[in-house]
Amino acid sequence: MAWKKARKGKTKRDYVKNFEEDLAYNLKVLHEELKCQIYSPKLLKIFILRDPKTRKISKSIFRDRIVHHALCNIIEPIFDKSFIYDNCANRKGKGTLVALKRFEKFKGKVTCNLISRAYCLKADIKHYFKEVDRKILLKIIKKKIRCKKTCNLIGLILDNFEGAKGIPLGNLTSQFFANVYLSELDQFVKHKLKIRHYIRYVDDFVLFHSSKYKLENWKKEIEGFLEENLKIELHPDKSKIINLSKGVDFVGFRNFYHHRLLRKRNVKNMQRKIFLFNQGEIPPEKFMEIFQGWEAYANWANSHKLINNLTNSFSPLL
């Protein structure tokens, strides 16, 4: 099952074909290594991705990714039961559309159906993936997972990364562990602070209330909790209290009272890809796949005119 998930969408890649030349043997070897606890992950392949934000991606080899899927197949359902409803990233049945719908619902509640004034604390964790404390993360995991062999395997995966802190961008396990780590914040927000209107998408989260003063107090308490318990902090420039009427940047959209716009960076990124396509640097099939995915995403915003303008900037060439 893990092998099938790891190969999905990548069946034409050479590293997948090489592994599948002797599939039964390779899976058997991997199985024996795990069973006998002699499995050791290979060094991560590191490269820089600019799309358009510069990010350092650390990628595991294919056989290690199969192990990641196998691990998540077992432990993810255990943790998912304890996740709050409004933890919207990297979960089955969740995602940006669910986060947007919840945003609309909470906005309506705190503004009495857009009649009264209300505010939103829009927050972001500073350098989140780089700052995750792996020792704290393992302690959190061990609260749910009592099997020593499984915890040892998780420890191997976590320590296969440079430095004393951080988890690598680019691995399935990293997405899952990042969710587990900030689930501690979710529990604090919902059960200690008893905040009703709260949504988190990876390391971005929003809180809603009619009182700006109340949000300021909650922000201070959250900062204290993050520093003391998780050794991370809010981004000073990206964490602020905003009047909902002025629009809140969340999950790729600028959300206003009565309409929703695409984030400017998202539009510029698509314009850049159209330019590259017009220059012949992106093949037509690949470009149409990119554009159709973007168009489906853009349709969640009030962007009909924008989509038409961008379509007209390349359609004569197809």
Side-chain angles (χ1 to χ4, degrees), residues 244-291:
L244 280 168
S245 64
K246 294 184 178 179
V248 179
D249 194 336
F250 187 57
V251 292
F253 297 88
R254 289 182 291 148
N255 300 275
F256 296 87
Y257 259 42
H258 301 286
H259 67 288
R260 184 188 299 139
L261 299 177
L262 278 170
R263 187 184 286 170
K264 289 179 182 179
R265 189 175 72 192
N266 184 296
V267 178
K268 287 180 180 178
N269 189 29
M270 193 65 244
Q271 289 172 332
R272 183 175 61 86
K273 287 178 179 175
I274 290 173
F275 174 78
L276 292 173
F277 168 71
N278 288 340
Q279 296 296 312
E281 295 184 34
I282 300 179
E285 284 185 9
K286 178 67 176 175
F287 173 75
M288 284 310 300
E289 183 182 328
I290 292 169
F291 187 80

Side-chain angles (χ1 to χ4, degrees), residues 47-60:
F47 59 95
I48 303 298
L49 184 66
R50 296 180 178 87
D51 192 22
K53 190 177 178 180
T54 301
R55 292 177 292 167
K56 185 179 180 181
I57 305 296
S58 303
K59 195 174 181 180
S60 294

Side-chain angles (χ1 to χ4, degrees), residues 39-234:
Y39 166 78
S40 179
K42 301 297 181 185
L43 289 175
L44 299 168
K45 182 181 178 182
I46 297 172
F47 59 95
I48 303 298
L49 184 66
R50 296 180 178 87
D51 192 22
K53 190 177 178 180
T54 301
R55 292 177 292 167
K56 185 179 180 181
I57 305 296
S58 303
K59 195 174 181 180
S60 294
I61 66 167
F62 184 64
R63 80 189 302 265
D64 288 339
R65 277 182 260 163
I66 294 174
V67 174
H68 296 174
H69 276 280
L71 177 65
C72 287
N73 283 345
I74 302 302
I75 68 171
E76 191 170 353
I78 297 170
F79 281 95
D80 197 72
K81 291 176 185 177
S82 66
F83 289 165
I84 66 168
Y85 183 86
D86 290 310
N87 168 358
C88 291
N90 306 316
R91 295 175 66 198
K92 289 179 182 177
K94 301 293 182 179
T96 51
L97 182 55
V98 171
L100 284 172
K101 286 180 178 178
R102 296 296 282 176
F103 189 101
E104 289 297 307
K105 182 177 181 178
F106 291 161
K107 181 180 70 176
K109 282 186 174 293
V110 296
T111 60
C112 300
N113 292 325
L114 309 180
I115 294 171
S116 60
R117 179 186 296 181
Y119 300 89
C120 171
L121 167 58
K122 166 69 172 70
D124 184 287
I125 308 295
K126 184 180 179 183
H127 303 147
Y128 179 51
F129 280 83
K130 290 181 182 178
E131 294 298 323
V132 169
D133 189 307
R134 296 200 292 270
K135 288 182 180 178
I136 294 175
L137 173 59
L138 199 54
K139 284 181 183 178
I140 294 168
I141 290 169
K142 286 180 178 179
K143 291 178 186 177
K144 293 279 185 187
I145 307 298
R146 302 296 172 86
C147 172
K148 289 184 179 179
K149 291 181 180 180
T150 305
C151 289
N152 288 339
L153 174 60
I154 292 169
L156 280 175
I157 293 171
L158 287 176
D159 289 338
N160 188 33
F161 189 57
E162 59 188 17
K165 277 188 169 187
I167 49 178
L169 266 173
N171 283 340
L172 173 71
T173 47
S174 296
Q175 296 172 17
F176 172 66
F177 291 146
N179 227 355
V180 170
Y181 200 68
L182 277 183
S183 182
E184 298 290 297
L185 169 65
D186 299 341
Q187 301 303 323
F188 174 75
V189 165
K190 299 300 287 186
H191 300 299
K192 182 71 175 178
L193 300 181
K194 300 189 183 300
I195 298 172
R196 295 176 63 189
H197 305 126
Y198 164 82
I199 313 164
R200 181 172 65 81
Y201 191 90
V202 193
D203 62 325
D204 288 347
F205 60 92
V206 286
L207 285 72
F208 303 82
H209 204 275
S210 57
S211 168
K212 190 175 182 180
Y213 175 75
K214 190 72 173 175
L215 287 173
E216 286 169 350
N217 285 341
W218 281 342
K219 183 183 178 186
K220 288 175 185 176
E221 293 199 56
I222 288 170
E223 285 173 331
F225 173 82
L226 292 175
E227 187 177 342
E228 184 178 343
N229 294 274
L230 300 178
K231 309 301 179 191
I232 52 178
E233 59 182 304
L234 296 182

